[in-house]
Amino acid sequence: MAILTLNNVQKNFGETAIIRGVSLDIEEGEKHAIIGPNGAGKSTLFHLISGLYKVSAGSITFKESEIQDKAPYEISRLGLARSFQVTNIFQRMNVFENIRCALFWSKGYRYSFWHLLGRQKELNEQAMHVLEQIGLTDKALFPSGELAYAQQRALELGIAIASGAELIMLDEPAAGMSHSEAETSVQLIHKITEGKTLIMVEHDMNIVFNVADRISVLVYGEVIATDSPENIRSNASVQEAYLGEVATSA
Amino acid sequence: MVQLKRLSIWIGYLVVMLVLPQFFDSILSVSIFNQMAIAIVFALSYNMLLGQGGMLSFGHAVYFGFGGFLAVHTLIMIEFETVYFSILFIPLIGGVFGLLAAIFIGSFSTHKAGTVFAMISLGMGELIAASSLIFVGFFGGEAGISGDRTYGPPFFGVEFLRDVEIYYVAVFWVFIATVFMYLFTQTPAGRMANAVRDNPERAEFIGYSARKVRFISFCAAGLFAGIAGGLFALNYEFITEETLNATTSGRVLLMAYIGGLGYFIGPIVGAVILTLMNSLLSNYSDLWMLYLGVMFLLTVLFLPRGFAGFIMMHQVAWVRGTIKQLALPYLLTGVPALLVMLSAIALIEMSHVEADVLQFIGFTLEPALLTDWLMVGIVGTGSLFAVRKSLPRLRDAWDSANTIPSEGGS
Ligand SMILES: Nc1ncnc2c1ncn2[C@@H]1O[C@H](COP(=O)(O)OP(=O)(O)O)[C@@H](O)[C@H]1O
Ligand SMILES: [Mg+2]
């Protein structure tokens, strides 16, 4: 059963059509990768799904409710979490607070001004557990804005997965990482998305083929193919549009 | 351990406030303490907006003044026996109306932070200040309105005739308000205020409406500003349009900023410093606003994290026990720096004074004498030179006090 359905989604910025009618079904529990050249509209597609941008036309259904007109926080509360390609954290707060804030809503604290955080044992333990997963335990009290790049990426991921959302969307989680850092990220992604649905944009083909059950190829705002990794690898038009360049440059 | 330490800080805070009038019991000092008490609550409430929530307000006096006006109206109602309760609860009346005003204005001003918020706060401030001169029945026009706190029922025999009695009422409310404002920072709503300050976009992706988070902080800030306004009403027993205009809004911004926005105690420090400057300096010089402006400028330029930030900068050296190394270099730079400052003030006062002689910290200066100008000028320039000479040494001392020596050594 599809957890997320995109039906002829379009997005224009002024005169320019950036997303030109994307239809896509994401099955519950699948790991779906979106690949495509720079500027194809992958991040824009993420922004449309997560509510940051409003669609110009088309509809998006998440767990049977239409979300294309909802605000990001409403979509997030339905159980859709995402990370950003450009690190997007709470700079002046420490690492632990970043993660704990990401847990509040799903733990039912809402806008509470009557719960003292020092007393919320379960919440604090859970935040520490997430820190452990992303390998930032010893940086818990460190100002997040002063972390090293790879650690900020790990925190970026941590904020997205903390709430335990059913659908997790990661926008280039390994961008700018060294080979070994990327390796660690893959393991981390495997671990934290177990039993969940994942949509991931990633340029590193090793990661894509390692993680994905299905791959969609987005070129100039259109999905030109959605298929299993094997079929995508041998698909001629994909080769031409995208993989060919990567294969020669890699 | 940590809890014990925190508790002892709170007890210390309360004890200091309680015993202050025992040491300084003149009418002037008690009146200064009352002003400080009011300023502390007001400045802390302002920091809920700017420091904790990232909302730069130029109109926070609206909630202070509105709460104050309603408090004076309540005093009048007590006087005419329309209502009957102890004036001890007057600050709460101010708080309720500060909150109501914040709910109303916040409902549209918190949609955005940044420039939009700042401009709306400025506009609302001007609007309310202007309307206070229109609705004379409520605001009393230029003269304001006045009440009398002594008509209320005595509270356990206390009739609130003396300022020091009001001071203890103020201490009660300052302590409660400080505790609650601190506790607010320890709640999910308080933490999300920080998160929205840092990154409103991302906050929306973890389930929070940035607007609503801001609105909650805004209302809380209005509530406590109103309590401060209620304290003002109790203390002065009258209130005018000035309490809700841009001057008052500007002053609370200065207090919070000079104290340090990034620390909970920052606004307390700022409120104490500015109240002292306000009441002491204004006795000596009518140029004190100029000095205040210069101090604000210097703080923005050299102590961007305020006085509290300056104190906290020494934490590392304190923990490492290297703070002693800083004493002498501080003295060597600090004393000439003080002389530079005093010479500058002397020169300004000399050009400003209308009398033939100027009494300045024990010296008698005559603006008509060129020699006096020269003398002050030479002291000032010499000191400036000494500051420049000693600065590198201070910098070195600072570095060596704050860098951890490498394990291996050489
Ligand atoms: N807010 C915007 N306004 C105008 N153009 C945009 C905006 N966001 C993205 N674009 C354009 O849309 C295209 C796709 O961008 P993006 O989705 O970031 O690509 P990708 O993530 O696939 O590299 C680019 O040409 C980019 O310049
Ligand atoms: Mg992108």
Side-chain angles (χ1 to χ4, degrees):
Chain A
M1 212 197 74
I3 188 170
L4 181 79
T5 304
L6 276 65
N7 187 7
N8 191 29
V9 170
Q10 297 173 33
K11 179 68 183 174
N12 310 325
F13 288 112
E15 297 283 279
T16 349
I18 299 294
I19 300 295
R20 302 187 298 167
V22 168
S23 297
L24 194 63
D25 274 328
I26 306 290
E27 301 300 319
E28 194 164 349
E30 83 166 301
K31 312 273 185 276
H32 198 106
I34 297 177
I35 62 174
N38 271 329
K42 306 180 293 298
S43 294
T44 305
L45 198 59
F46 265 37
H47 296 334
L48 290 170
I49 297 170
S50 61
L52 183 60
Y53 293 168
K54 294 279 157 263
V55 298
S56 303
S59 68
I60 304 171
T61 313
F62 175 57
K63 292 201 298 187
E64 270 134 40
S65 47
E66 296 224 337
I67 58 168
Q68 71 273 10
D69 293 323
K70 287 192 174 9
Y73 58 87
E74 293 170 306
I75 296 170
S76 152
R77 289 172 197 171
L78 291 174
L80 186 155
R82 65 163 296 182
S83 74
F84 288 78
Q85 180 177 354
V86 178
T87 306
N88 205 355
I89 57 181
F90 305 109
Q91 302 275 346
R92 285 165 63 189
M93 296 167 78
N94 69 34
V95 173
F96 175 77
E97 298 290 3
N98 267 266
I99 296 296
R100 188 160 66 176
C101 282
L103 280 165
F104 286 154
W105 195 274
S106 64
K107 294 282 152 205
Y109 287 96
R110 305 171 67 93
Y111 296 96
S112 160
F113 45 84
W114 52 89
H115 288 97
L116 285 178
L117 291 171
R119 302 231 178 117
Q120 313 306 314
K121 218 167 150 247
E122 206 185 300
L123 172 76
N124 297 332
E125 277 168 8
Q126 186 114 17
M128 285 313 288
H129 177 69
V130 175
L131 286 186
E132 207 176 299
Q133 282 186 313
I134 58 175
L136 290 180
T137 307
D138 57 336
K139 292 275 183 252
L141 301 179
F142 204 76
S144 63
E146 293 168 29
L147 289 173
Y149 178 76
Q151 291 171 332
Q152 289 199 353
R153 291 307 296 169
L155 180 59
E156 175 69 40
L157 210 61
I159 296 173
I161 57 114
S163 67
E166 293 153 73
L167 174 59
I168 294 172
M169 299 173 53
L170 306 178
D171 195 350
E172 303 201 20
M177 287 192 174
S178 72
H179 188 72
S180 69
E181 286 166 347
E183 200 82 339
T184 323
S185 290
V186 175
Q187 284 168 12
L188 184 59
I189 291 165
H190 270 299
K191 196 164 68 181
I192 62 187
T193 59
E194 211 178 285
K196 305 197 148 100
T197 312
L198 171 73
I199 309 176
M200 179 176 71
V201 170
E202 184 51 65
H203 278 303
D204 184 330
M205 285 306 136
N206 287 327
I207 298 185
V208 170
F209 287 112
N210 190 325
V211 173
D213 305 324
R214 282 203 302 162
I215 298 175
S216 289
V217 183
L218 189 72
V219 179
Y220 290 120
E222 280 177 303
V223 173
I224 59 163
T226 295
D227 218 325
S228 67
E230 299 76 44
N231 291 347
I232 289 291
R233 216 194 284 263
S234 54
N235 182 317
S237 57
V238 174
Q239 291 280 349
E240 187 184 334
Y242 184 56
L243 284 179
E245 309 165 26
V246 175
T248 49
S249 69
Chain B
M1 252 326 271
V2 176
Q3 278 188 346
L4 206 67
K5 198 173 146 196
R6 196 165 293 162
L7 195 67
S8 59
I9 292 175
W10 283 106
I11 292 173
Y13 178 58
L14 183 61
V15 168
V16 166
M17 287 197 292
L18 285 176
V19 303
L20 267 179
Q22 306 298 321
F23 295 100
F24 307 92
D25 57 357
S26 70
I27 292 177
L28 175 68
S29 39
V30 171
S31 117
I32 292 177
F33 294 149
N34 279 338
Q35 290 174 43
M36 270 183 199
I38 298 162
I40 287 173
V41 178
F42 191 25
L44 280 171
S45 82
Y46 185 79
N47 207 35
M48 293 181 104
L49 295 179
L50 185 54
Q52 290 155 25
M55 288 172 271
L56 174 59
S57 169
F58 294 117
H60 198 45
V62 166
Y63 314 95
F64 176 78
F66 192 64
F69 269 98
L70 262 305
V72 174
H73 277 296
T74 311
L75 275 181
I76 295 170
M77 287 204 280
I78 290 176
E79 186 177 334
F80 289 98
E81 294 179 1
T82 322
V83 292
Y84 187 81
F85 59 85
S86 169
I87 59 139
L88 184 64
F89 301 105
I90 286 286
L92 212 51
I93 302 280
V96 168
F97 284 95
L99 173 64
L100 289 177
I103 290 174
F104 174 64
I105 296 176
S107 65
F108 55 85
S109 75
T110 52
H111 278 263
K112 291 246 154 44
T115 318
V116 177
F117 176 86
M119 289 306 117
I120 294 178
S121 75
L122 190 64
M124 283 314 292
E126 289 299 308
L127 192 134
I128 303 283
S131 55
S132 71
L133 297 176
I134 299 168
F135 302 107
V136 178
F138 183 82
F139 292 105
E142 302 225 0
I145 55 170
S146 56
D148 189 331
R149 67 187 180 219
T150 60
Y151 281 100
F155 187 77
F156 291 105
V158 179
E159 294 187 52
F160 306 108
L161 295 167
R162 298 182 306 139
D163 274 359
V164 73
E165 288 164 357
I166 289 299
Y167 176 71
Y168 287 111
V169 174
V171 168
F172 172 76
W173 285 107
V174 171
F175 188 71
I176 291 197
T178 310
V179 168
F180 274 98
M181 281 188 266
Y182 177 74
L183 290 181
F184 181 78
T185 65
Q186 306 295 311
T187 64
R191 276 312 139 84
M192 282 313 298
N194 298 156
V196 167
R197 168 200 68 197
D198 286 3
N199 192 341
E201 180 185 280
R202 187 67 192 255
E204 301 242 329
F205 290 93
I206 57 174
Y208 282 86
S209 152
R211 208 209 104 235
K212 197 155 176 196
V213 170
R214 279 189 215 107
F215 179 69
I216 290 170
S217 294
F218 191 83
C219 290
L223 167 72
F224 288 105
I227 289 178
L231 283 173
F232 180 97
L234 260 196
N235 184 43
Y236 293 102
E237 300 178 279
F238 79 92
I239 192 158
T240 64
E241 172 268 342
E242 205 202 313
T243 50
L244 40 70
N245 71 15
T247 313
T248 307
S249 291
R251 193 169 304 152
V252 73
L253 193 165
L254 289 194
M255 282 182 194
Y257 200 100
I258 287 176
L261 302 172
Y263 304 88
F264 184 78
I265 63 153
I268 300 181
V269 176
V272 169
I273 293 177
L274 255 75
T275 309
L276 276 180
M277 277 187 75
N278 190 342
S279 10
L280 297 180
L281 279 185
S282 60
N283 284 340
Y284 294 108
S285 166
D286 41 0
L287 291 178
W288 72 275
M289 287 286 274
L290 171 78
Y291 302 131
L292 188 65
V294 172
M295 186 167 99
F296 180 60
L297 216 69
L298 293 177
T299 313
V300 172
L301 288 174
F302 299 109
L303 298 177
R305 300 204 286 159
F307 279 77
F310 178 71
I311 297 167
M312 297 307 269
M313 253 166 64
H314 296 81
Q315 214 175 4
V316 175
W318 177 266
V319 171
R320 295 187 54 224
T322 48
I323 195 127
K324 291 185 292 287
Q325 302 168 16
L326 289 173
L328 188 62
Y330 261 144
L331 213 61
L332 287 177
T333 311
V335 171
L338 192 69
L339 284 176
V340 173
M341 197 180 81
L342 288 174
S343 322
I345 293 174
L347 291 177
I348 294 168
E349 292 290 333
M350 276 166 81
S351 48
H352 172 70
V353 75
E354 276 163 16
D356 288 339
V357 289
L358 172 72
Q359 292 297 334
F360 187 76
I361 50 166
F363 294 93
T364 307
L365 299 170
E366 284 184 52
L369 292 180
L370 186 64
T371 47
D372 280 14
W373 285 88
L374 274 177
M375 196 184 72
V376 177
I378 288 169
V379 172
T381 334
S383 308
L384 191 63
F385 188 68
V387 170
R388 295 195 60 162
K389 273 301 235 203
S390 60
L391 218 47
R393 181 164 168 192
L394 176 59
R395 218 168 267 140
D396 289 345
W398 177 262
D399 287 343
S400 79
N402 283 287
T403 40
I404 293 123
S406 57
E407 288 288 317
S410 55

